[in-house]
Amino acid sequence: MTERVILVDEQDNEIGTMQKMEAHLKGRLHRAFSVFIFNDKGELLLQQRALNKYHSGGKWTNTCCSHPRLGEDTLAAANRRLHEEMGMQCELKFGFSFMYQAIVNESLSENEYDHVYFGVSNDFPVPNAEEVADFRYITMGALKADINKCPDEYTEWLKICFDKVMELYKDKAVLHL
């Protein structure tokens, strides 16, 4: 089955679907989500994307990210992918949405309306090797320093939304949404 993404307008209204690869080749705005899981120590669980991913392979990113299916609620999709990618289940709460565009390689770009969810869990991940090469927990301060030092090691969407995540983290909102 060919994966499709939900095309949206700038208010996140559905306007159609398109094959995922075609949407990334043409830079069409589509719905996505990003999940950030923290442990009780306030450390963020990062994943390193599998090396064979069609874009951003080997880069470090938030706990989980993907696209909902047509007719699938975004929160349900976030829970589904958290389990599929990281082998975890956790209560997720909506944090914020943002739009971004970024070139991810010579022929592909991201143009996403991204819904961001947060959760707290001390469960140890059991990553799917087809999706995830590695994982680690990191403090937000250490992550900020490493992104500044080695920006090419991180996904574009993580770098773009990091300041907003940090703002909510400093307010402890991400731990108590």
Side-chain angles (χ1 to χ4, degrees):
M1 184 172 97
T2 303
E3 283 190 69
R4 298 186 73 79
V5 294
I6 301 167
L7 301 177
V8 296
D9 64 18
E10 292 184 355
Q11 287 74 46
D12 195 34
N13 297 306
E14 293 181 18
I15 58 172
T17 66
M18 184 177 280
Q19 289 184 351
K20 182 169 75 169
M21 185 59 75
E22 183 181 4
H24 288 111
L25 285 166
K26 293 181 175 179
R28 296 287 305 273
L29 182 62
H30 58 278
R31 188 174 293 151
F33 60 83
S34 294
V35 176
F36 290 77
I37 301 296
F38 292 86
N39 62 21
D40 281 345
K41 296 184 216 173
E43 298 168 322
L44 175 62
L45 175 58
L46 292 181
Q47 71 154 274
Q48 183 183 32
R49 290 169 59 86
L51 301 177
N52 63 346
K53 290 289 214 174
Y54 69 99
H55 75 75
S56 306
K59 292 191 180 232
W60 289 93
T61 196
N62 48 289
T63 311
C64 165
C65 45
S66 191
H67 310 93
R69 297 174 178 150
L70 185 62
E72 183 179 35
D73 176 77
T74 307
L75 176 58
N79 278 297
R80 174 180 54 81
R81 287 303 292 172
L82 179 61
H83 183 28
E84 290 172 356
E85 289 185 22
M86 300 300 284
M88 298 177 73
Q89 294 180 331
C90 154
E91 181 181 359
L92 299 178
K93 302 228 176 149
F94 177 76
F96 63 95
S97 294
F98 71 104
M99 285 190 306
Y100 77 96
Q101 288 185 280
I103 295 174
V104 292
N105 66 32
E106 58 279 347
S107 61
L108 298 175
S109 66
E110 287 282 16
N111 187 4
E112 295 187 333
Y113 193 107
D114 199 339
H115 299 259
V116 178
Y117 294 93
F118 296 102
V120 177
S121 176
N122 290 313
D123 291 347
F124 202 70
V126 182
N128 177 343
E130 292 179 18
E131 301 287 342
V132 180
D134 200 0
F135 69 90
R136 69 178 190 231
Y137 288 90
I138 190 169
T139 66
M140 290 295 283
L143 178 56
K144 181 177 182 170
D146 202 46
I147 287 172
N148 289 335
K149 180 182 172 190
C150 308
D152 291 342
E153 293 183 15
Y154 294 91
T155 61
E156 293 304 313
W157 57 92
L158 176 63
K159 294 183 287 189
I160 290 167
C161 75
F162 183 81
D163 287 342
K164 179 68 175 177
V165 173
M166 181 63 109
E167 176 186 317
L168 292 172
Y169 178 81
K170 285 181 180 178
D171 291 343
K172 302 292 185 215
V174 297
L175 303 176
H176 305 291
L177 286 172

